[in-house]
């Protein structure tokens, strides 16, 4: 079943894939990384003016990483704003996704956290660097194939 936004995107020739609806009836769409920035701008102009959250996760060991965006269309006089969930998948070998910082500035720290924990490079992000882990940290702690350093060996080395 196609949602309202998916139908609108199809009508305007914008490539995407509908992943269905969540338990609250919010449509989830998959957008290719190379299309994400231009579609993000279009969604903003269409009225999705609020980025509620961005997160990322490791889909499976050796597989894909997902960057997830929850967008809301806030309008005056509308009690129930429209929401959509966007998923952008990237290969673990070269996880690059265009940053949407210049569309929704609120994504700043959220994209940095996704970079820090999973290693997704957000192209054109103005300050893409570690935010939780020290700059000297090696690896991406939330990847399923991450092997944590042995804390006791680190302590003995000092």
């Amino acid at each position: 079943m196609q949602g309202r936004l998916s139908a609108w995107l199809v009508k305007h020739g914008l490539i995407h894939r509908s992943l269905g609806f969540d338990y609250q009836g919010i449509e989830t769409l998959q957008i290719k990384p190379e299309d994400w920035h231009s579609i993000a701008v279009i969604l903003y102009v269409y009225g999705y003016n609020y980025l509620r959250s961005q997160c990322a996760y490791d889909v499976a060991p050796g597989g894909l990483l997902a960057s997830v965006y929850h967008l809301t269309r806030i309008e005056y006089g509308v009690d129930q704003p429209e929401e959509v969930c966007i998923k952008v998948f990237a290969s673990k070998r070269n996880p690059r996704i265009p940053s949407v910082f210049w569309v929704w500035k609120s994504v700043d720290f959220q994209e940095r956290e996704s970079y820090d924990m999973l290693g997704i490079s957000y192209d054109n992000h103005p300050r893409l660097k570690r935010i939780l882990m020290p700059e000297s940290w090696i690896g991406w702690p939330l990847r399923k194939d991450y092997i944590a350093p042995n804390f006791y060996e680190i302590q003995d080395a000092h």
Side-chain angles (χ1 to χ4, degrees), residues 32-106:
K32 291 180 182 177
E34 59 270 21
D35 298 329
W36 174 223
H37 189 267
S38 58
I39 289 180
V41 171
I42 290 165
L43 291 175
Y44 185 85
V45 171
Y46 183 66
Y48 286 91
N49 52 7
Y50 179 64
L51 180 119
R52 191 174 52 160
S53 68
Q54 183 276 333
C55 65
Y57 66 93
D58 188 341
V59 177
L64 299 172
L65 300 174
S67 188
V68 183
Y69 303 81
H70 295 271
L71 307 174
T72 305
R73 187 176 183 182
I74 298 176
E75 297 177 88
Y76 292 106
V78 175
D79 292 336
Q80 199 67 301
E82 278 183 51
E83 296 181 54
V84 68
C85 176
I86 305 291
K87 291 187 178 186
V88 183
F89 295 97
S91 165
K92 276 190 185 178
R93 287 200 173 109
N94 187 20
R96 302 188 77 80
I97 295 174
S99 173
V100 291
F101 173 84
W102 301 106
V103 181
W104 299 284
K105 298 255 189 315
S106 61

